[in-house]
């Protein structure tokens, strides 16, 4: 990965190579971390963070679910992110805020361990490859299911949930795909290892509901809004696996993946096996907003300075 100069740790700016924690920190043993992922894009008015307040809100929600109190206000976190981007001199970066149970005592009960906060920023290119945005990616349906809703709450963006994501991703890569789509424990379509999923079918846009073990994606929410602007009917509904094979278009959304078309599922071509017209139009609207080229009607951009 491309190193930056500084990382924010518990209110201090430390050198990238010195941003270390103790090996007996609670998080390392029991996965007790909650995190976010945002992107900052270059615009004509300087670098702008996409949906900063919504990401910070989701971080607080994730921590609330796990009874973790963040020792900073949301305003302090937002300010720290902006300061960090400026200090590192970045225009275009990925932002990773992380809240975790630190070093004090081992044992499952986290209550004795401090709640530590770190924020890192670095340059991160196209998540699923350079070509993916135009040509789409080949994916499979994973043999792994997403965790059941009453096991690891999927609405919390917890580090531990990504053990499930890793199984999905590794299997997909080993089998020659770029990504895997997981079903939920009832057999309905859930999401990719790190992306939400949309289906275009007969001119309507379908996406799994919150109860299908998905992360409530902020890109997902943005796409639902942009689809509404285009006059598309959007339905959050349970999606049977076979709809993936007969969809007109399919695409992933996520901060890292942005809007990435899917060109095949289990080697069955999706539509014309490339980027479909509705996907393309949604992509264009999305990229126009994040880059400040389209009017920021919803107040989604926060300028760094
Ligand atoms: N589902 C999962 C499981 C997920 O991890 C992400 C984001 C999404 C959906 C989309 O959410 P949003 O970014 O709010 O639209 N995954 C983040 C982490 C990726 C990583 O490899 O790390 C991301 O895209 O930043």
């Amino acid at each position: 990965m491309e190193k930056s100069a500084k990382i924010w740790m518990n209110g201090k700016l430390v050198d990238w190579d010195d941003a270390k924690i103790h090996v007996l920190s609670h998080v390392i043993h029991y996965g007790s971390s909650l995190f976010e992922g945002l992107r900052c894009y270059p615009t004509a008015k300087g670098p702008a963070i996409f949906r900063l307040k919504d990401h910070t809100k989701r971080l607080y929600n994730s921590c609330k679910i796990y009874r973790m109190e963040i020792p900073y206000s949301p305003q302090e976190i937002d300010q720290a992110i902006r300061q960090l981007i400026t200090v590192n001199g970045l225009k275009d970066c990925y932002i990773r805020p992380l809240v975790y149970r630190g070093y004090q005592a081992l044992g499952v009960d986290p209550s004795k361990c401090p709640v530590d906060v770190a924020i890192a920023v670095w340059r991160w290119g196209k998540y699923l490859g350079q070509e993916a945005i135009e040509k789409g990616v080949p994916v499979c349906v994973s043999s792994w299911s997403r965790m059941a809703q009453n096991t690891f709450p999927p609405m919390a963006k917890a580090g531990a949930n990504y053990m499930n994501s890793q199984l999905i991703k590794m299997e997909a890569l080993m089998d020659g795909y770029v990504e895997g789509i997981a079903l939920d424990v009832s057999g309905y379509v859930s999401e990719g290892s790190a992306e939400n999923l949309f289906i275009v079918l007969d001119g309507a846009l379908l996406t799994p509901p919150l109860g299908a073990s998905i992360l409530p994606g902020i890109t997902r929410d943005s796409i639902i809004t942009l689809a509404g602007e285009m006059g598309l009917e959007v339905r959050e509904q349970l999606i049977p696996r076979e709809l993936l094979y007969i969809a007109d278009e399919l695409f992933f959304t996520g901060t890292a993946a942005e809007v990435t078309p899917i060109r095949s599922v289990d080697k069955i071509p999706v539509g014309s096996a490339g980027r479909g017209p509705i996907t393309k139009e949604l992509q264009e609207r999305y990229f126009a907003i994040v880059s400040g080229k389209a009017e920021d009607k919803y107040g989604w951009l926060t300028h760094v300075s």
Side-chain angles (χ1 to χ4, degrees):
M1 67 196 288
E2 223 176 289
K3 286 186 193 180
S4 304
K6 300 284 181 187
I7 289 181
W8 188 99
M9 285 183 93
N10 293 326
K12 293 195 183 70
L13 291 175
V14 300
D15 288 342
W16 180 281
D17 290 329
D18 297 333
K20 293 176 181 162
I21 63 169
H22 198 281
V23 72
L24 296 181
S25 299
H26 194 273
V27 60
I28 294 189
H29 299 255
Y30 311 114
S32 38
S33 70
L34 291 313
F35 69 97
E36 271 306 315
L38 307 80
R39 274 189 193 266
C40 173
Y41 289 92
T43 78
K45 290 191 220 144
I49 304 163
F50 188 61
R51 301 198 65 171
L52 173 60
K53 286 202 163 44
D54 300 305
H55 280 279
T56 302
K57 176 78 191 166
R58 190 171 66 185
L59 182 63
Y60 277 75
N61 285 345
S62 295
C63 290
K64 189 171 185 192
I65 292 168
Y66 279 97
R67 304 174 192 275
M68 265 159 99
E69 207 161 313
I70 303 178
Y72 301 94
S73 68
Q75 294 74 22
E76 284 172 314
I77 297 292
D78 291 355
Q79 194 42 41
I81 291 173
R82 294 166 71 177
Q83 177 202 13
L84 190 63
I85 295 170
T86 307
V87 164
N88 283 299
L90 293 165
K91 292 184 182 67
D92 183 356
C93 63
Y94 186 82
I95 305 160
R96 170 57 50 84
L98 178 74
V99 181
Y100 58 97
R101 290 286 186 178
Y103 170 72
Q104 185 63 251
L106 283 186
V108 171
D109 173 20
S111 59
K112 291 180 194 70
C113 297
V115 175
D116 289 328
V117 184
I119 307 168
V121 297
W122 69 92
R123 282 172 47 78
W124 200 359
K126 296 296 174 205
Y127 190 63
L128 296 176
Q130 201 53 250
E131 275 191 6
I133 296 282
E134 266 180 53
K135 300 219 166 91
V137 289
V139 309
C140 59
V141 173
S142 185
S143 73
W144 295 101
S145 297
R146 282 284 287 171
M147 58 279 182
Q149 202 84 39
N150 59 349
T151 56
F152 298 88
M155 285 185 72
K157 196 170 168 64
N161 295 354
Y162 289 81
M163 290 304 277
N164 175 253
S165 293
Q166 288 176 53
L167 292 171
I168 297 164
K169 185 77 180 187
M170 289 189 293
E171 182 188 58
L173 295 176
M174 296 285 279
D175 291 341
Y177 301 97
V178 168
E179 183 56 284
I181 295 172
L183 307 179
D184 67 13
V185 287
S186 307
Y188 291 104
V189 172
S190 177
E191 60 178 358
S193 75
E195 309 88 1
N196 292 116
L197 181 82
F198 283 88
I199 295 186
V200 178
L201 188 74
D202 299 329
L205 196 60
L206 276 49
T207 195
L210 291 189
S213 290
I214 65 162
L215 180 78
I218 289 166
T219 321
R220 173 184 181 273
D221 178 74
S222 310
I223 288 297
I224 290 173
T225 302
L226 297 176
E229 279 185 2
M230 284 165 62
L232 287 175
E233 181 197 346
V234 182
R235 298 204 300 265
E236 294 180 55
Q237 61 154 79
L238 289 175
I239 294 176
R241 172 175 180 167
E242 58 273 28
L243 263 193
L244 299 173
Y245 304 126
I246 58 174
D248 299 319
E249 300 179 31
L250 275 184
F251 61 89
F252 282 132
T253 64
T255 299
E258 298 167 307
V259 180
T260 300
I262 296 169
R263 69 163 183 258
S264 62
V265 181
D266 296 334
K267 305 203 167 96
I268 300 179
V270 177
S272 54
R275 176 174 56 180
I278 292 179
T279 307
K280 182 163 186 276
E281 164 118 36
L282 285 164
Q283 250 184 355
E284 283 167 2
R285 285 177 185 250
Y286 181 76
F287 285 122
I289 291 204
V290 300
S291 61
K293 289 182 185 125
E295 186 200 344
D296 181 20
K297 281 191 219 171
Y298 310 103
W300 284 345
L301 299 185
T302 300
H303 289 274
V304 168
S305 52

